[in-house]
Structures are given as C-alpha cells and as structure tokens.
Amino acid sequence: MSSTVALSGCFENWMLASSSAIFRRQLFLLKTLGGHCCRVHMERIHGAEGARAATLEADAEGIIRKITPVMDPRLYKGQAGKVAVIGGCREYTGAPYFAAISALKIGADLSHVFCTKDAATVIKSYSPELIVHPVLEESYGVRDDEKASVFGKVVGDVTKWMQRFDCLVVGPGLGRDTFLLDCVSGIIRHAREANIPIVIDGDGLFLVTNNLDLVKGYSLAVLTPNINEYKRLVEKVLDCEVNEEEASEQLKLLARRIGDVTIFRKGKLDLISDGERVNKVSISGSPRRCGGQGDILSGSVAVFSSWARQRLSSTKEATERSLSNPMVLGCIAASALLRKSAALAFASKKRATLTTDIIECLGRSLEDICPAE
Ligand SMILES: NC(=O)C1=CN([C@@H]2O[C@H](COP(=O)(O)OP(=O)(O)OC[C@H]3O[C@@H](n4cnc5c(N)ncnc54)[C@H](O)[C@@H]3O)[C@@H](O)[C@H]2O)[C@@H](O)CC1
Ligand SMILES: Nc1ncnc2c1ncn2[C@@H]1O[C@H](COP(=O)(O)OP(=O)(O)OP(=O)(O)O)[C@@H](O)[C@H]1O
Ligand SMILES: [Mg+2]
C-alpha cells in the first residue's frame, strides 16, 4: 500500500516535469513499476476534468459586493471583524503595521498586533488605532533554563485572547528566531483547536514550510507565498522545481498534498487554489514593487475571509464547492482590492508610490466597487 502511495505521488510530480528526457526515463520506470495504480490515482486527483483543469478568472468585484457587509446602524463594535496579526520583531515593524492597519481601512472594527517588546512601542507610535501586545520573546532575551516557562507564558498571553478573533494573520515581520517560532507553533496549534481561521504569510511560511503538520488538513488555513516562499514550498512538498507551464496544476497539487489548505500564489497574476479549482485574478495593479504590498494583502485576506464566512453562514446559497469556500472568496476579494488600490496609487504617485500610498487608496477602491450607502 505504501509503495502505491509513493509511486502515485511521484507520478504527479513527473507530469509536472518540463524536461521530456526526464519524463521518458520516468515513464520507463513507471511502466516497469506498474502504471495502472498511477493512472487510477491521477484520475482520482484530477477527476472528470482530466489532467489539465481550466484556470478561471474570478468575478472578483462581484464577490466583493456579495461578501462585504452593509453599513447597518444596528451593528455593534466587533461585528464587522476582529483580527490579530502575530508579527513584529527587532528588525521588522512595518510589515505587521501594514497588515493590521489595512484590515481596519477595509472595514474591520478591531485590529490587534502581538509582537516583541522591541517592536511594540514603534508599532504603537505608527498608529493609535492598533491594539498592540508586547508579548513575544526572542532567544536573546531568554536563558535556556527559563525557556519552558516563558514558552507557556507567551502562548498563554496570546491564546487568552483567541476566542475574540475572527482570523489570525501569522508571519508579517515575525523574523526567524527559533525560540520565537516555537512559541508561534504553539499559538497556531491553539488557534486550530479553537477553529480560528489563520492566514500564514512572510516568516510564518518559513515556519510552516518546515513544519507542515501545523496546517495539514486545516481548511481554515490560507498560505500567501510570494515568489521565494512559493519556491521553498514546492521544493519541500513536491520535491521538484516550480513549473510555470503547469502553474495551475502544480498549485492545485500543492494544496492537495499539504492537505485541505488554500494557497494564494502571489505574482504578476494571482493564483488561488484550495485543491479543487484554481482561480486567477489578473486585473491590473501597479508596476511598482515596493516592499509591504504582500502585508496589505494578508490583512485584507483576513477581513474578507471573515466576511465571507459570516455571509455563507447566514445564507444557504448552493454554489460550486470552490466558490463556497470562504477562504477562497476572501483571497479573491483581497487580491482584486489590493491590485485596484495599487493601480490607483500609482496613477498619482508614479515612481514614488509606497505601501502607505496604497493603503490610503484601499477605502476609495472599495467604495468604487461597493459603495457604503
Ligand atoms: N517594512 C517591513 O517591515 C517589511 C517587512 N517584510 C518582512 O520581511 C520578512 C522577509 O520577507 P521577504 O519577503 O523579504 O522574504 P523573502 O523570503 O522573499 O526574501 C528574503 C531574502 O532573504 C533571505 N533570508 C531571509 N532570512 C534568512 C535567513 N534567516 N537565512 C537565510 N536567508 C534568509 C531569503 O532567502 C531571501 O533571499 C518577512 O517577515 C516580511 O513580512 C516584508 O513584508 C517587506 C516589508
Ligand atoms: N508583477 C506584478 N504585477 C502586478 N502586481 C503584482 C506583481 N507582483 C506582485 N503583485 C501584486 O502584489 C501583491 C503582493 O505580492 P508580492 O510578491 O509583492 O508579495 P511579498 O513579496 O510577500 O510582499 P511584501 O514585501 O509585503 O512581503 C500580489 O498579490 C499581487 O497582487
Ligand atoms: Mg511578504
């Protein structure tokens, strides 16, 4: 049985290999080892659609209109969304700020940041709107004999808030300190137990790529890799190179292999898959590639996916599976809004466009698609 699984897995990777020489050699091996079980497995993986499924351009603006809550005076604070960003260390204070403030600018009611002490005062000084918790610890501040108790305290300081959040964003500006990442693993495990959706970005992806069990089988997890992060994931999970010619198939396979997660592959085109279908968002964005745009995106995915969950739980619309997955809907909405805002910022700021300019355009872009009144 185990040899069947291993063989089938390899075959999917082979289908993605671009070198025909490699493919011929592997096909020979395949015939030698028994192709039947591989073919059956391929059919199970790809279903009736065949090996190459179409990549659909999502109706992103329609989705935004559908999931964005109406401005209702009967709502009270918190009902439009409460998110928390786990990130911010000695090196990085911009990334968690961008993610957290973007969530508020889109329409969430409360946005928290859990970061190290060094980062907290800096992040607070960027904005009085954010609720900043200086609770994370890096190795340099903790003696070896203190680690177990500090671990318990850090995880406890975050998890006591957990039930209040609609979504966590783990990773923007988190850094790669080993003790800090151990604590964040504890936080992710707790969030899973509490069924809280988690968007994994930046250094959170570094953690998860090396500890896939943290998200395996968790359908409320979204991974938002950039070009480097995606490469590392593909190499680790599929044991092959990124294949641009079979980009959609490879993404779908990656989501399935990790198990039930949604992956948002960022780039010139944004590709989003939960292992069932692949959606594409390609509306024009900005040619400026200043750092921080991915952070806006992760905060936006948190808000839109929370809204999509709320919307789907309050209606009984029978839609196809991938369009009834709130995490996929959240990704599509966030992608479109970020790209539209980046285009708008670039139209006025040109080469001087910075991430803060794009954040300033989030409100107007959303208003253009989905007016508040
Ligand atoms: N203003 C800010 O505070 C910003 C902070 N950012 C944060 O910066 C961090 C890194 O994100 P990037 O998008 O640059 O990550 P990438 O993985 O795209 O690139 C980082 C580069 O540095 C290398 N690298 C980083 N840490 C390393 C390590 N410990 N050992 C060896 N090589 C290492 C990587 O291999 C890569 O070449 C994330 O936490 C991210 O959220 C970015 O979001 C950009 C804005
Ligand atoms: N070449 C491009 N053309 C247009 N838009 C792009 C391009 N590359 C990325 N984007 C947009 O920018 C968003 C952020 O992607 P990017 O690759 O910059 O993330 P990142 O490296 O994680 O960013 P950060 O600097 O915040 O860590 C993507 O979702 C996409 O919509
Ligand atoms: Mg990033």
Side-chain angles (χ1 to χ4, degrees), residues 91-96 98 171-176 201-204 206 226-229 232 290-295 355:
E91 286 89 357
Y92 307 120
T93 54
F98 293 145
L174 192 60
R176 297 185 186 182
D201 186 40
D203 298 313
F206 174 79
N226 68 12
I227 186 169
N228 290 326
E229 293 150 355
R232 287 193 283 264
C290 53
Q293 295 181 62
D295 305 318
T355 296

Side-chain angles (χ1 to χ4, degrees), residues 82-86 100 110-114 130-133 161 165:
K82 293 160 285 175
V83 304
V85 177
I86 315 288
L110 294 164
S111 191
H112 293 241
V113 178
F114 292 85
L130 303 177
I131 301 162
V132 184
H133 308 256
W161 287 85
F165 300 131

Side-chain angles (χ1 to χ4, degrees), residues 2-299:
S2 61
S3 68
T4 308
V5 172
L7 180 64
S8 306
C10 290
F11 184 66
E12 290 150 21
N13 291 343
W14 294 344
M15 289 299 287
L16 296 165
S18 54
S19 156
S20 60
I22 293 174
F23 186 76
R24 272 198 303 278
R25 191 166 63 79
Q26 288 170 336
L27 196 60
F28 167 73
L29 276 173
L30 173 69
K31 283 178 180 159
T32 314
L33 294 171
H36 179 68
C37 62
C38 296
R39 196 168 57 248
V40 170
H41 188 68
M42 277 298 285
E43 280 163 10
R44 192 167 59 76
I45 286 284
H46 297 295
E49 298 167 353
R52 270 170 206 261
T55 303
L56 307 170
E57 176 77 33
D59 171 20
E61 296 199 358
I63 288 171
I64 291 176
R65 277 190 281 274
K66 203 160 200 172
I67 64 179
T68 301
V70 291
M71 304 303 298
D72 182 341
R74 288 169 302 178
L75 292 179
Y76 54 86
K77 184 177 70 180
Q79 285 189 298
K82 293 160 285 175
V83 304
V85 177
I86 315 288
C89 62
R90 277 208 289 193
E91 286 89 357
Y92 307 120
T93 54
Y97 164 77
F98 293 145
I101 201 77
S102 299
L104 287 180
K105 291 276 185 180
I106 290 169
D109 289 333
L110 294 164
S111 191
H112 293 241
V113 178
F114 292 85
C115 58
T116 65
K117 292 185 187 68
D118 298 315
T121 321
V122 181
I123 297 171
K124 282 176 202 269
S125 73
Y126 295 153
S127 168
E129 319 285 348
L130 303 177
I131 301 162
V132 184
H133 308 256
V135 296
L136 302 182
E137 295 280 358
E138 293 181 83
S139 309
Y140 70 88
V142 185
R143 289 197 320 264
D144 281 352
D145 61 324
E146 293 173 330
K147 281 190 171 154
S149 65
V150 175
F151 175 93
K153 180 163 183 345
V154 170
V155 175
D157 280 347
V158 181
T159 55
K160 70 182 178 205
W161 287 85
M162 199 71 90
Q163 289 295 347
R164 307 185 194 201
F165 300 131
D166 299 306
C167 189
L168 298 187
V169 181
V170 175
L174 192 60
R176 297 185 186 182
D177 179 82
T178 44
F179 177 70
L180 186 145
L181 292 182
D182 282 348
C183 296
V184 173
S185 297
I187 294 165
I188 292 175
R189 286 195 194 94
H190 198 283
R192 273 189 78 152
E193 277 166 27
N195 243 14
I196 310 287
I198 315 173
V199 179
I200 311 269
D201 186 40
D203 298 313
L205 288 165
F206 174 79
L207 171 66
V208 161
T209 302
N210 296 315
N211 301 274
L212 290 163
D213 283 349
L214 288 173
V215 292
K216 198 173 191 52
Y218 191 46
S219 63
L220 297 177
V222 178
L223 315 186
T224 56
N226 68 12
I227 186 169
N228 290 326
E229 293 150 355
Y230 189 71
K231 184 169 183 290
R232 287 193 283 264
L233 258 182
V234 167
E235 286 170 355
K236 180 70 187 243
V237 178
L238 301 181
D239 196 21
C240 64
E241 296 295 311
V242 173
N243 181 348
E244 294 300 344
E245 281 162 26
E246 302 277 355
S248 293
E249 279 306 313
Q250 190 172 48
L251 177 64
K252 196 160 82 165
L253 180 59
L254 184 65
R256 285 186 180 220
R257 258 319 158 70
I258 295 174
D260 240 5
V261 299
T262 297
I263 304 179
F264 182 136
R265 181 188 170 178
K266 298 179 288 195
K268 187 163 174 287
L269 302 174
D270 287 335
L271 291 177
I272 296 147
S273 180
D274 60 355
E276 289 291 318
R277 273 168 208 281
V278 183
N279 290 282
K280 175 175 74 172
V281 180
S282 65
I283 63 172
S284 42
S286 158
R288 273 284 279 142
R289 300 267 57 81
C290 53
Q293 295 181 62
D295 305 318
I296 301 179
L297 187 92
S298 60

